[in-house]
Amino acid sequence: MDLATKEKFKWKFYRLAIMLNIIILLVAIGILAWFLVPGVYRIPVILIIALLVGGLTIYFQGQYRKTREWLHDQE
């Protein structure tokens, strides 16, 4: 693997790592919201967070597969 390809992979990996950290952070915020948000707003806030987590998870999985295939093609 040449230097430019390694650099491209590094940035792809960083992007995936940041996305995964955001997903984990949103799950943690959702758990905290269950206990801290007043009763009237609790369910809507948790549903919004759950939709964000679901959407980001699906997007992350697609990007992970593309990056894995790209890396496999580089060998």
Side-chain angles (χ1 to χ4, degrees):
M1 191 182 304
D2 63 348
L3 187 60
T5 307
K6 283 184 183 181
E7 187 71 22
K8 188 173 182 180
F9 174 69
K10 182 172 69 170
W11 286 108
K12 285 178 178 275
F13 179 79
Y14 288 159
R15 183 171 155 220
L16 287 173
I18 289 170
M19 285 174 36
L20 186 59
N21 286 332
I22 290 170
I23 292 169
I24 292 169
L25 183 63
L26 283 172
V27 169
I29 290 171
I31 292 170
L32 287 174
W34 178 261
F35 295 107
L36 299 177
V37 174
V40 176
Y41 303 110
R42 183 175 296 153
I43 300 299
V45 168
I46 291 174
L47 285 176
I48 290 170
I49 292 172
L51 287 174
L52 284 171
V53 168
L56 277 174
T57 301
I58 292 169
Y59 182 72
F60 173 81
Q61 287 175 341
Q63 292 301 310
Y64 176 79
R65 286 186 186 116
K66 286 181 184 177
T67 301
R68 188 177 65 198
E69 289 172 9
W70 175 84
L71 184 60
H72 182 68
D73 291 342
Q74 299 304 313
E75 294 180 32

Coordinates of all heavy atoms in Angstrom, one line a residue:
M1 N 0.9 -1.2 0.0 CA 0.0 0.0 0.0 C 0.9 1.2 0.0 O 1.8 1.4 0.8 CB -0.9 0.0 1.2 CG -2.0 1.0 1.2 SD -3.1 1.1 2.7 CE -3.7 -0.6 2.8
D2 N 0.7 2.1 -1.0 CA 1.5 3.3 -1.0 C 1.1 4.4 0.0 O 0.1 4.2 0.7 CB 1.5 3.9 -2.5 CG 0.1 4.4 -2.9 OD1 -0.9 4.0 -2.2 OD2 0.0 5.1 -3.9
L3 N 1.9 5.4 0.1 CA 1.6 6.4 1.1 C 0.3 7.1 1.0 O -0.4 7.4 1.9 CB 2.8 7.4 1.1 CG 2.8 8.5 2.2 CD1 2.9 7.8 3.5 CD2 4.0 9.4 2.0
A4 N -0.1 7.5 -0.3 CA -1.4 8.2 -0.5 C -2.5 7.3 -0.1 O -3.5 7.8 0.5 CB -1.5 8.6 -2.0
T5 N -2.5 6.0 -0.4 CA -3.5 5.1 0.0 C -3.6 4.9 1.5 O -4.7 4.9 2.1 CB -3.3 3.7 -0.7 OG1 -3.1 3.9 -2.1 CG2 -4.5 2.8 -0.4
K6 N -2.5 4.9 2.2 CA -2.5 4.8 3.6 C -3.1 6.0 4.2 O -3.9 6.0 5.2 CB -1.0 4.6 4.1 CG -0.5 3.3 4.0 CD 0.9 3.2 4.6 CE 1.5 1.8 4.4 NZ 2.8 1.7 5.0
E7 N -2.8 7.2 3.7 CA -3.4 8.4 4.2 C -4.9 8.5 4.0 O -5.6 8.9 4.9 CB -2.7 9.6 3.5 CG -3.1 11.0 4.0 CD -2.5 11.2 5.4 OE1 -1.5 10.6 5.7 OE2 -3.0 12.1 6.1
K8 N -5.3 8.0 2.8 CA -6.8 8.0 2.6 C -7.5 7.0 3.5 O -8.5 7.3 4.1 CB -7.0 7.5 1.1 CG -8.4 7.6 0.7 CD -8.6 7.3 -0.8 CE -10.0 7.5 -1.2 NZ -10.2 7.3 -2.6
F9 N -6.8 5.9 3.8 CA -7.4 4.9 4.7 C -7.5 5.5 6.2 O -8.4 5.3 6.9 CB -6.6 3.6 4.8 CG -7.1 2.6 5.8 CD1 -8.3 2.0 5.7 CD2 -6.3 2.4 6.9 CE1 -8.8 1.2 6.7 CE2 -6.7 1.5 7.9 CZ -8.0 0.9 7.8
K10 N -6.4 6.2 6.5 CA -6.4 6.8 7.8 C -7.6 7.8 8.0 O -8.2 7.7 9.1 CB -5.1 7.6 8.0 CG -4.9 8.2 9.4 CD -3.5 8.8 9.6 CE -3.3 10.0 8.8 NZ -2.0 10.7 9.1
W11 N -7.9 8.6 7.0 CA -9.0 9.5 7.1 C -10.3 8.8 7.1 O -11.3 9.2 7.8 CB -8.9 10.6 6.1 CG -7.9 11.6 6.3 CD1 -6.7 11.7 5.7 CD2 -7.9 12.5 7.4 NE1 -5.9 12.7 6.3 CE2 -6.6 13.2 7.3 CE3 -8.8 12.9 8.4 CZ2 -6.3 14.3 8.2 CZ3 -8.4 13.9 9.3 CH2 -7.2 14.6 9.2
K12 N -10.4 7.7 6.4 CA -11.7 6.9 6.4 C -11.9 6.3 7.8 O -13.0 6.3 8.3 CB -11.6 5.8 5.3 CG -11.8 6.3 3.9 CD -11.6 5.1 2.9 CE -11.9 5.5 1.5 NZ -13.3 5.5 1.2
F13 N -10.8 5.8 8.4 CA -10.9 5.2 9.7 C -11.2 6.2 10.7 O -12.1 6.0 11.6 CB -9.5 4.6 10.1 CG -9.5 4.0 11.4 CD1 -10.1 2.7 11.7 CD2 -8.9 4.6 12.5 CE1 -10.1 2.2 12.9 CE2 -8.9 4.1 13.7 CZ -9.5 2.8 14.0
Y14 N -10.6 7.4 10.7 CA -11.0 8.5 11.6 C -12.5 8.8 11.5 O -13.1 9.0 12.5 CB -10.2 9.7 11.4 CG -8.7 9.7 11.7 CD1 -7.8 10.5 11.2 CD2 -8.3 8.8 12.7 CE1 -6.5 10.5 11.5 CE2 -6.9 8.7 13.0 CZ -6.0 9.6 12.5 OH -4.7 9.5 12.8
R15 N -13.0 8.9 10.3 CA -14.4 9.3 10.1 C -15.3 8.2 10.7 O -16.3 8.5 11.4 CB -14.7 9.4 8.6 CG -16.0 9.8 8.3 CD -16.1 10.1 6.8 NE -17.5 10.0 6.4 CZ -17.9 9.4 5.3 NH1 -17.0 9.0 4.4 NH2 -19.1 9.3 5.0
L16 N -15.0 6.9 10.5 CA -15.8 5.9 11.1 C -15.7 5.9 12.6 O -16.7 5.6 13.3 CB -15.3 4.5 10.5 CG -15.7 4.2 9.1 CD1 -15.0 2.9 8.6 CD2 -17.2 4.1 8.9
A17 N -14.5 6.1 13.1 CA -14.3 6.1 14.6 C -15.1 7.3 15.2 O -15.8 7.1 16.3 CB -12.8 6.3 14.9
I18 N -15.2 8.4 14.6 CA -15.9 9.6 15.1 C -17.4 9.3 15.0 O -18.2 9.6 16.0 CB -15.6 10.9 14.3 CG1 -14.1 11.3 14.7 CG2 -16.6 12.0 14.6 CD1 -13.6 12.4 13.9
M19 N -17.9 8.7 13.9 CA -19.3 8.3 13.8 C -19.7 7.3 14.9 O -20.8 7.5 15.5 CB -19.6 7.8 12.4 CG -19.6 8.8 11.4 SD -19.8 8.3 9.7 CE -20.9 6.9 9.8
L20 N -18.8 6.3 15.2 CA -19.1 5.4 16.2 C -19.2 6.0 17.6 O -20.1 5.7 18.4 CB -18.1 4.2 16.2 CG -18.4 3.0 17.1 CD1 -19.7 2.4 16.8 CD2 -17.3 2.0 17.0
N21 N -18.3 6.9 17.8 CA -18.3 7.6 19.1 C -19.6 8.5 19.3 O -20.1 8.6 20.4 CB -17.1 8.5 19.2 CG -15.8 7.7 19.5 OD1 -15.9 6.6 20.1 ND2 -14.7 8.2 19.1
I22 N -20.0 9.1 18.2 CA -21.3 9.9 18.2 C -22.4 9.0 18.6 O -23.3 9.3 19.4 CB -21.5 10.7 16.9 CG1 -20.4 11.8 16.8 CG2 -22.9 11.2 16.8 CD1 -20.4 12.5 15.5
I23 N -22.5 7.8 17.9 CA -23.6 6.9 18.2 C -23.6 6.5 19.7 O -24.6 6.5 20.4 CB -23.4 5.6 17.3 CG1 -23.7 6.0 15.9 CG2 -24.4 4.5 17.8 CD1 -23.4 4.9 14.8
I24 N -22.4 6.1 20.2 CA -22.3 5.7 21.6 C -22.7 6.9 22.5 O -23.4 6.7 23.5 CB -20.9 5.2 21.9 CG1 -20.6 3.9 21.2 CG2 -20.6 5.1 23.4 CD1 -19.2 3.5 21.2
L25 N -22.3 8.1 22.2 CA -22.6 9.3 23.0 C -24.1 9.5 23.0 O -24.7 9.9 24.0 CB -21.9 10.5 22.5 CG -22.1 11.8 23.2 CD1 -21.5 11.7 24.6 CD2 -21.4 12.9 22.5
L26 N -24.8 9.4 21.8 CA -26.2 9.6 21.7 C -27.0 8.5 22.6 O -28.0 8.8 23.2 CB -26.7 9.5 20.3 CG -26.4 10.8 19.5 CD1 -26.8 10.5 18.0 CD2 -27.2 11.9 20.0
V27 N -26.5 7.3 22.6 CA -27.1 6.3 23.5 C -27.0 6.7 24.9 O -28.0 6.6 25.7 CB -26.5 4.9 23.2 CG1 -26.9 3.9 24.2 CG2 -26.8 4.4 21.8
A28 N -25.8 7.1 25.3 CA -25.6 7.6 26.7 C -26.5 8.8 27.0 O -27.1 8.8 28.1 CB -24.1 7.9 26.9
I29 N -26.6 9.7 26.1 CA -27.5 10.9 26.3 C -29.0 10.4 26.4 O -29.7 10.9 27.3 CB -27.3 11.9 25.2 CG1 -26.0 12.6 25.3 CG2 -28.4 12.9 25.2 CD1 -25.6 13.4 24.1
G30 N -29.4 9.4 25.6 CA -30.7 8.9 25.7 C -31.0 8.3 27.1 O -32.1 8.4 27.6
I31 N -30.0 7.5 27.6 CA -30.2 6.9 28.9 C -30.3 8.0 30.0 O -31.2 8.0 30.9 CB -29.0 6.0 29.3 CG1 -29.1 4.8 28.3 CG2 -29.0 5.5 30.7 CD1 -27.9 3.9 28.4
L32 N -29.5 9.0 29.9 CA -29.6 10.2 30.9 C -30.9 10.9 30.7 O -31.5 11.4 31.7 CB -28.4 11.1 30.7 CG -27.0 10.6 31.2 CD1 -25.9 11.6 30.8 CD2 -27.0 10.4 32.7
A33 N -31.3 11.0 29.5 CA -32.6 11.8 29.2 C -33.8 11.0 29.9 O -34.7 11.7 30.4 CB -32.8 11.9 27.7
W34 N -33.7 9.7 30.0 CA -34.8 8.9 30.6 C -34.9 9.4 32.1 O -36.1 9.4 32.6 CB -34.4 7.5 30.5 CG -35.5 6.6 31.2 CD1 -35.4 6.1 32.4 CD2 -36.8 6.2 30.7 NE1 -36.5 5.4 32.7 CE2 -37.4 5.5 31.6 CE3 -37.4 6.5 29.5 CZ2 -38.7 4.9 31.4 CZ3 -38.7 6.0 29.3 CH2 -39.3 5.2 30.3
F35 N -33.8 9.7 32.7 CA -33.9 10.1 34.1 C -34.0 11.6 34.4 O -34.5 12.0 35.4 CB -32.7 9.5 34.9 CG -32.6 8.0 34.9 CD1 -31.7 7.4 34.1 CD2 -33.5 7.3 35.6 CE1 -31.6 6.0 34.1 CE2 -33.4 5.9 35.7 CZ -32.5 5.3 34.9
L36 N -33.5 12.4 33.5 CA -33.4 13.8 33.7 C -34.5 14.7 33.1 O -34.8 15.8 33.6 CB -32.0 14.4 33.3 CG -30.8 13.7 34.1 CD1 -29.5 14.3 33.5 CD2 -30.9 14.0 35.5
V37 N -35.0 14.2 32.0 CA -36.0 15.1 31.2 C -37.4 14.9 32.0 O -37.8 13.9 32.4 CB -36.1 14.6 29.8 CG1 -37.2 15.3 29.0 CG2 -34.8 14.8 29.1
P38 N -38.1 16.1 32.1 CA -39.4 16.0 32.7 C -40.4 15.0 32.0 O -40.2 14.8 30.8 CB -39.9 17.4 32.6 CG -38.7 18.3 32.4 CD -37.7 17.4 31.7
G39 N -41.3 14.5 32.7 CA -42.2 13.5 32.2 C -42.9 13.8 30.9 O -43.1 12.9 30.0
V40 N -43.4 15.0 30.7 CA -44.1 15.4 29.5 C -43.2 15.3 28.2 O -43.7 14.8 27.2 CB -44.6 16.8 29.6 CG1 -45.3 17.2 28.4 CG2 -45.6 16.9 30.8
Y41 N -41.9 15.6 28.4 CA -41.0 15.6 27.2 C -40.2 14.4 27.1 O -39.5 14.2 26.1 CB -40.1 16.8 27.3 CG -40.9 18.1 27.4 CD1 -40.9 18.9 28.6 CD2 -41.6 18.6 26.3 CE1 -41.6 20.1 28.7 CE2 -42.3 19.8 26.4 CZ -42.3 20.5 27.6 OH -43.0 21.7 27.6
R42 N -40.3 13.5 28.1 CA -39.4 12.3 28.1 C -39.5 11.4 26.9 O -38.5 11.2 26.2 CB -39.7 11.5 29.4 CG -38.7 10.3 29.5 CD -38.9 9.6 30.8 NE -38.7 10.5 31.9 CZ -39.2 10.4 33.1 NH1 -40.1 9.5 33.4 NH2 -38.9 11.3 34.1
I43 N -40.7 11.0 26.5 CA -40.8 10.1 25.4 C -40.5 10.7 24.1 O -39.7 10.1 23.3 CB -42.3 9.5 25.4 CG1 -42.6 8.7 26.7 CG2 -42.5 8.6 24.2 CD1 -41.7 7.6 26.9
P44 N -40.9 12.0 23.8 CA -40.5 12.6 22.5 C -39.0 12.8 22.4 O -38.4 12.5 21.3 CB -41.2 13.9 22.5 CG -42.4 13.8 23.4 CD -41.9 12.8 24.4
V45 N -38.4 13.2 23.4 CA -36.9 13.4 23.4 C -36.2 12.0 23.2 O -35.3 11.9 22.3 CB -36.4 14.0 24.7 CG1 -34.9 14.0 24.8 CG2 -36.9 15.5 24.8
I46 N -36.6 11.0 23.8 CA -36.0 9.7 23.7 C -36.3 9.1 22.3 O -35.4 8.5 21.7 CB -36.5 8.7 24.8 CG1 -35.9 9.2 26.1 CG2 -36.1 7.3 24.5 CD1 -36.4 8.4 27.3
L47 N -37.5 9.4 21.7 CA -37.8 8.9 20.4 C -36.9 9.6 19.3 O -36.4 9.0 18.4 CB -39.2 9.1 20.1 CG -40.2 8.1 20.7 CD1 -41.6 8.5 20.4 CD2 -39.9 6.7 20.3
I48 N -36.7 10.9 19.5 CA -35.8 11.7 18.6 C -34.4 11.1 18.7 O -33.8 10.9 17.6 CB -35.9 13.2 18.9 CG1 -37.3 13.7 18.5 CG2 -34.8 13.9 18.2 CD1 -37.5 15.1 19.0
I49 N -33.9 10.9 19.9 CA -32.6 10.4 20.0 C -32.5 9.0 19.4 O -31.5 8.6 18.7 CB -32.1 10.4 21.5 CG1 -32.0 11.8 22.0 CG2 -30.8 9.6 21.7 CD1 -31.7 12.0 23.5
A50 N -33.5 8.1 19.6 CA -33.5 6.8 19.1 C -33.5 6.8 17.6 O -32.8 6.0 16.9 CB -34.7 6.0 19.6
L51 N -34.3 7.7 17.0 CA -34.3 7.9 15.5 C -32.9 8.3 15.0 O -32.4 7.8 13.9 CB -35.3 8.9 15.1 CG -36.8 8.4 15.2 CD1 -37.7 9.5 14.8 CD2 -37.0 7.2 14.2
L52 N -32.3 9.2 15.7 CA -30.9 9.7 15.3 C -29.9 8.5 15.4 O -29.1 8.3 14.5 CB -30.4 10.8 16.2 CG -31.0 12.2 15.9 CD1 -30.6 13.2 17.0 CD2 -30.5 12.7 14.6
V53 N -30.0 7.7 16.5 CA -29.1 6.6 16.6 C -29.4 5.6 15.5 O -28.4 5.0 15.0 CB -29.3 6.0 18.0 CG1 -28.6 4.6 18.1 CG2 -28.7 6.9 19.1
G54 N -30.6 5.3 15.3 CA -30.9 4.3 14.2 C -30.4 4.8 12.9 O -29.8 4.0 12.1
G55 N -30.7 6.0 12.5 CA -30.2 6.5 11.2 C -28.7 6.5 11.1 O -28.1 6.1 10.1
L56 N -28.0 7.0 12.1 CA -26.6 7.0 12.1 C -26.0 5.6 12.1 O -25.0 5.3 11.4 CB -26.0 7.7 13.3 CG -26.0 9.2 13.2 CD1 -25.5 9.9 14.5 CD2 -25.0 9.7 12.1
T57 N -26.6 4.6 12.8 CA -26.2 3.3 12.8 C -26.3 2.7 11.4 O -25.3 2.0 10.9 CB -27.0 2.4 13.8 OG1 -26.8 3.0 15.1 CG2 -26.5 1.0 13.8
I58 N -27.4 2.9 10.7 CA -27.5 2.4 9.3 C -26.5 3.0 8.4 O -25.9 2.3 7.6 CB -29.0 2.6 8.8 CG1 -29.9 1.7 9.6 CG2 -29.1 2.4 7.3 CD1 -31.4 2.1 9.4
Y59 N -26.3 4.3 8.5 CA -25.3 5.0 7.7 C -23.9 4.5 8.0 O -23.1 4.3 7.1 CB -25.4 6.5 8.0 CG -24.4 7.3 7.1 CD1 -24.6 7.5 5.8 CD2 -23.3 7.9 7.7 CE1 -23.7 8.2 5.0 CE2 -22.4 8.7 7.0 CZ -22.7 8.8 5.6 OH -21.8 9.6 4.9
F60 N -23.6 4.3 9.3 CA -22.3 3.8 9.7 C -22.0 2.4 9.1 O -20.9 2.2 8.6 CB -22.2 3.8 11.2 CG -20.9 3.1 11.7 CD1 -19.8 3.8 11.8 CD2 -20.9 1.8 12.1 CE1 -18.6 3.2 12.3 CE2 -19.8 1.2 12.6 CZ -18.6 1.9 12.6
Q61 N -23.0 1.6 9.2 CA -22.8 0.2 8.6 C -22.5 0.3 7.1 O -21.7 -0.5 6.7 CB -24.1 -0.6 8.9 CG -24.2 -1.1 10.3 CD -25.5 -1.8 10.6 OE1 -26.4 -1.7 9.8 NE2 -25.6 -2.5 11.7
G62 N -23.2 1.1 6.4 CA -23.0 1.2 5.0 C -21.6 1.7 4.7 O -20.9 1.2 3.8
Q63 N -21.2 2.8 5.4 CA -19.8 3.3 5.2 C -18.7 2.3 5.7 O -17.7 2.2 5.0 CB -19.7 4.6 6.0 CG -20.5 5.7 5.5 CD -20.2 6.1 4.1 OE1 -19.1 6.3 3.7 NE2 -21.2 6.1 3.2
Y64 N -19.0 1.6 6.7 CA -18.1 0.5 7.1 C -17.9 -0.5 6.1 O -16.8 -0.9 5.7 CB -18.5 -0.1 8.4 CG -17.7 -1.2 8.9 CD1 -16.5 -1.0 9.5 CD2 -18.0 -2.6 8.7 CE1 -15.6 -2.0 10.0 CE2 -17.2 -3.6 9.1 CZ -16.0 -3.3 9.7 OH -15.2 -4.3 10.1
R65 N -19.0 -1.0 5.5 CA -18.9 -2.0 4.4 C -18.1 -1.4 3.2 O -17.3 -2.1 2.6 CB -20.3 -2.4 4.0 CG -20.9 -3.3 5.0 CD -22.2 -3.9 4.5 NE -22.9 -4.6 5.6 CZ -24.0 -4.3 6.1 NH1 -24.7 -3.2 5.7 NH2 -24.6 -5.0 7.1
K66 N -18.4 -0.2 2.8 CA -17.7 0.4 1.7 C -16.2 0.5 2.0 O -15.4 0.2 1.1 CB -18.3 1.8 1.4 CG -19.6 1.8 0.7 CD -20.1 3.2 0.4 CE -21.4 3.2 -0.2 NZ -21.9 4.6 -0.4
T67 N -15.9 0.9 3.2 CA -14.5 1.1 3.5 C -13.8 -0.3 3.6 O -12.6 -0.4 3.1 CB -14.3 1.8 4.9 OG1 -14.9 3.1 4.8 CG2 -12.9 2.0 5.3
R68 N -14.5 -1.3 4.1 CA -13.9 -2.6 4.1 C -13.7 -3.2 2.7 O -12.6 -3.7 2.5 CB -14.8 -3.5 4.9 CG -14.2 -4.9 5.2 CD -15.1 -5.7 6.0 NE -16.3 -6.0 5.3 CZ -17.5 -6.4 5.8 NH1 -17.6 -6.6 7.1 NH2 -18.5 -6.6 5.0
E69 N -14.6 -3.0 1.8 CA -14.4 -3.4 0.4 C -13.3 -2.6 -0.2 O -12.5 -3.2 -1.0 CB -15.7 -3.2 -0.3 CG -16.8 -4.2 0.1 CD -18.2 -3.8 -0.6 OE1 -18.2 -2.9 -1.5 OE2 -19.2 -4.5 -0.2
W70 N -13.2 -1.3 0.0 CA -12.2 -0.5 -0.6 C -10.8 -1.0 -0.1 O -9.9 -1.1 -0.9 CB -12.4 0.9 -0.2 CG -11.3 1.8 -0.6 CD1 -11.1 2.4 -1.9 CD2 -10.2 2.3 0.1 NE1 -10.0 3.2 -1.9 CE2 -9.4 3.1 -0.7 CE3 -9.7 2.0 1.4 CZ2 -8.2 3.7 -0.2 CZ3 -8.6 2.6 1.9 CH2 -7.8 3.4 1.0
L71 N -10.7 -1.3 1.2 CA -9.5 -1.8 1.8 C -9.1 -3.2 1.2 O -7.9 -3.4 0.9 CB -9.5 -1.9 3.3 CG -8.3 -2.3 4.0 CD1 -7.2 -1.2 3.7 CD2 -8.5 -2.3 5.5
H72 N -10.1 -4.0 1.0 CA -9.8 -5.3 0.4 C -9.4 -5.2 -1.0 O -8.5 -6.0 -1.4 CB -11.1 -6.2 0.5 CG -10.9 -7.6 0.0 ND1 -10.2 -8.5 0.6 CD2 -11.4 -8.2 -1.2 CE1 -10.2 -9.6 -0.1 NE2 -10.9 -9.4 -1.2
D73 N -9.9 -4.2 -1.8 CA -9.5 -4.0 -3.1 C -8.0 -3.5 -3.2 O -7.4 -3.6 -4.2 CB -10.4 -3.0 -3.8 CG -11.8 -3.7 -4.1 OD1 -11.9 -4.9 -4.0 OD2 -12.7 -2.9 -4.3
Q74 N -7.6 -2.8 -2.1 CA -6.2 -2.3 -2.1 C -5.1 -3.3 -2.0 O -4.0 -3.0 -2.2 CB -6.1 -1.2 -1.1 CG -7.0 0.0 -1.2 CD -6.9 0.6 -2.6 OE1 -5.8 0.9 -3.0 NE2 -8.0 0.9 -3.2
E75 N -5.5 -4.5 -1.5 CA -4.5 -5.5 -1.3 C -3.9 -6.1 -2.5 O -4.4 -6.1 -3.6 CB -5.1 -6.6 -0.4 CG -5.4 -6.2 1.0 CD -6.0 -7.3 1.8 OE1 -5.6 -8.4 1.6 OE2 -6.9 -7.0 2.6

